[in-house]
Amino acid sequence: MSRALRDGDLRAGDLVDSAEAALSLVEGGADGINAFLSTDFERARQRASEMDDELRDDAEVSRPLAGIPVALKDNIVTTDHFTTCGSRILEGYRSPFDATAVRRLRDAGAVIIGKTNMDEFAMGSSTESSAYGPTRNPLDRQRVPGGSSGGSAAAVAAGIVPAALGSETGGSVRQPAAFCGVVGIKPTYGRVSRYGLVAFASSLDQIGTLGRTVDDAALLLETIAGADPYDATCAHRPVPPLAHPTEQGLEGVTVGVPEEYFPDSLDAGVRARCDEARRVMEALGATVREVSLPHTRFAIPAYYVIAPAEASSNLARFDGVRYGVRARGVVTVDDLYERSRALFGPEVKRRIMLGTFTLSAGHHDAYYGRARQARSRIAADFEKVFAGGVDLLLTPTAPTTPFRLGERTADPYEMYLADVFTVAASLSGLPALSLPVGAVEGLPVGGQLIGPRWSEATLVRAAREVESALALVPLTVA
């Protein structure tokens, strides 16, 4: 698209028209995919016209995303769209500032189409906990798109936009990428500014990218990454070129395959597709060997203590006084809090209660303290493997293909297990990438690459080579 725009073969306005047409094809009726919570095509066309003028005056304009339409997850704040976080408690909220990632997209020339649906406050693995209805998987509308960035993944998979921003806490970019058959990248914690990302769990949250191809997702990440004076947790490290390969092949790369990520219970089809990706990497010159991450079994319980604990603190501000919709006709302060916070959905309430309990006197050390110890051991496992000569790890992204809508909503534990292969990298602050490695009965399978801190360039290089070698035909939108 970028080449066609620069060559004058395409107009940015054409891309906006195409995005609107694609959206109309998959929305409407009871089985619309419900990928977007808000769109503004009039504003997008104005922006596209500006980019067309700029490209016409200077085809060599340095903006890497000039005229390219993108979508944003609705927990990333913008001045020109509402930011609801998929919740009734933020209905109608408009931010007075743009998130750093959004500002960098605008500076790069991107055309923002709208804000995408998500699990409420990013708490979920299927985009079914949104207060505005679930998002459906565009490849099979009876199945979930994953979560919590399911709206962004669905928008890319449906061909509405070529790339989108999502956010990660425990796998919320990679898992929906796997379920929708697209590419999702979670950067190293601190690689991308969190300024303007509505907080869920501050020690875990990261903005990530989704794209139809590895290079699309990598270009978006390269654009938004880098130091930010507004975020003290953002690292002052140079951002390497990601979207333009400097090396080819996998000669000299050692790939580890952790035995804990291939249990007997793993779906046979998922195992077969990941085994094929392993053979491809070996054929490309990589050395593949078995490794062990023994504390992986603690990842889910540690995550579901730490993340709710941080969420209970972060979401205390949504009380009808400082942030959020204020209940009317209240008499007492207690009544104000109770009626205002009643707007939270069931999953958010569940996690607030879990987090408040694990941080309470008498339970802090038994739960939160031990979860932090487990987190340290999980991270130490990764450090040991990478220090032993392994450059990256290959695992499944999710243990199954996309499950049916409503299949797991009655059992939170089963829902939480959808992230069993993604939360360990999040707890350790490591970069990870999901890319399509095949399909089982017409449903996509994602393979995950995990690397040491700041190794995004290596992950993208490896993923690009696997993507090229597999040469998969995109799955058909239902």
Side-chain angles (χ1 to χ4, degrees):
M1 287 179 178
S2 182
R3 282 194 298 270
L5 288 168
R6 292 170 192 277
D7 292 343
D9 298 329
L10 189 66
R11 293 173 50 255
D14 296 332
L15 295 180
V16 175
D17 291 342
S18 177
E20 187 172 24
L23 179 62
S24 68
L25 285 174
V26 296
E27 295 292 15
D31 65 345
I33 67 170
N34 196 29
F36 281 84
L37 293 181
S38 65
T39 56
D40 189 340
F41 285 101
E42 181 178 350
R43 190 186 299 270
R45 286 189 177 87
Q46 292 174 354
R47 171 69 166 171
S49 178
E50 294 171 4
M51 290 299 100
D52 282 329
D53 291 344
E54 190 170 312
L55 287 165
R56 185 173 56 251
D57 294 339
D58 181 8
E60 299 303 317
V61 63
S62 60
R63 297 177 189 252
L65 295 174
I68 302 298
V70 299
L72 309 174
K73 187 175 179 179
D74 201 30
N75 61 345
I76 302 171
V77 303
T78 54
T79 57
D80 52 3
H81 291 85
F82 294 122
T83 300
T84 70
C85 292
S87 178
R88 295 292 182 192
I89 205 167
L90 277 177
E91 192 166 17
Y93 172 72
R94 193 186 297 272
S95 170
F97 66 95
D98 282 330
T100 295
V102 174
R103 178 171 49 80
R104 289 176 176 172
L105 286 181
R106 295 192 199 278
D107 291 345
V111 177
I112 296 172
I113 297 298
K115 309 289 283 292
T116 57
N117 200 5
M118 57 181 285
D119 282 305
E120 186 178 7
F121 280 97
M123 298 180 189
S125 303
S126 65
T127 315
E128 292 177 284
S129 74
S130 170
Y132 304 96
T135 295
R136 295 173 179 267
N137 194 315
L139 306 177
D140 182 341
R141 300 193 189 189
Q142 302 308 309
R143 296 180 184 271
V144 303
S148 62
S149 304
S152 290
V156 173
I160 301 168
V161 290
L165 294 188
S167 73
E168 277 253 7
T169 305
S172 292
V173 164
R174 289 166 287 157
Q175 187 249 27
F179 278 11
C180 290
V182 298
V183 177
I185 306 177
K186 182 199 92 70
T188 306
Y189 185 84
R191 174 69 84 184
V192 174
S193 172
R194 293 186 297 114
Y195 183 71
L197 174 65
V198 179
F200 165 12
S202 302
S203 73
L204 295 161
D205 294 341
Q206 277 283 268
I207 294 176
T209 62
L210 296 118
R212 297 181 197 171
T213 68
V214 171
D215 277 335
D216 288 347
L219 177 58
L220 214 61
L221 177 58
E222 185 180 331
T223 302
I224 65 173
D228 179 19
Y230 294 109
D231 180 3
T233 66
C234 198
H236 289 261
R237 296 179 64 95
V239 180
L242 298 175
H244 305 286
T246 55
E247 296 180 82
Q248 295 184 337
L250 294 180
E251 293 286 346
V253 175
T254 299
V255 179
V257 178
E259 60 182 75
E260 292 81 7
Y261 285 72
F262 291 86
D264 294 339
S265 58
L266 180 64
D267 180 273
V270 172
R271 182 188 297 274
R273 300 291 82 76
C274 290
D275 286 345
E276 175 61 21
R278 172 179 177 166
R279 288 190 289 270
V280 164
M281 297 183 87
E282 288 178 315
L284 290 167
T287 300
V288 180
R289 72 186 200 209
E290 302 286 337
V291 298
S292 178
L293 300 168
H295 293 96
T296 295
R297 67 185 187 276
F298 298 126
I300 286 288
Y303 175 83
Y304 281 101
V305 170
I306 291 171
E310 295 186 14
S312 69
S313 177
N314 278 324
L315 269 63
R317 73 193 69 174
F318 300 99
D319 54 11
V321 177
R322 292 167 292 180
Y323 289 91
V325 174
R326 176 178 295 191
R328 301 300 179 187
V330 297
V331 177
T332 66
V333 172
D334 285 348
D335 193 28
L336 169 65
Y337 288 161
E338 289 173 7
R339 290 177 55 186
S340 297
R341 289 174 67 81
L343 292 170
F344 284 132
E347 183 60 32
V348 175
K349 291 177 181 176
R350 178 183 294 117
R351 298 200 193 193
I352 289 174
M353 289 190 291
L354 280 170
T356 303
F357 173 78
T358 57
L359 290 177
S360 62
H363 298 102
H364 181 282
D365 292 338
Y367 291 95
Y368 186 69
R370 294 187 69 186
R372 290 184 62 192
Q373 291 175 351
R375 181 180 190 173
S376 296
R377 296 192 180 192
I378 291 166
D381 283 349
F382 282 111
E383 291 174 6
K384 181 178 180 181
V385 166
F386 292 134
V390 170
D391 297 300
L392 55 89
L393 301 171
L394 170 66
T395 79
T397 307
T400 66
T401 53
F403 46 88
R404 293 187 177 277
L405 287 159
E407 186 176 307
R408 301 192 182 186
T409 52
D411 188 341
Y413 183 68
E414 282 298 312
M415 184 72 78
Y416 296 165
L417 288 178
D419 297 329
V420 66
F421 294 149
T422 57
V423 295
S426 296
L427 288 167
S428 304
L430 302 177
L433 179 154
S434 177
L435 77 158
V437 294
V440 176
E441 298 180 354
L443 298 172
V445 174
Q448 178 177 219
L449 301 177
I450 305 172
R453 290 174 66 84
W454 319 116
S455 66
E456 287 86 355
T458 301
L459 290 181
V460 169
R461 169 191 170 192
R464 182 187 294 114
E465 294 292 338
V466 172
E467 178 183 68
S468 177
L470 288 174
L472 300 175
V473 176
L475 296 174
T476 303
V477 175

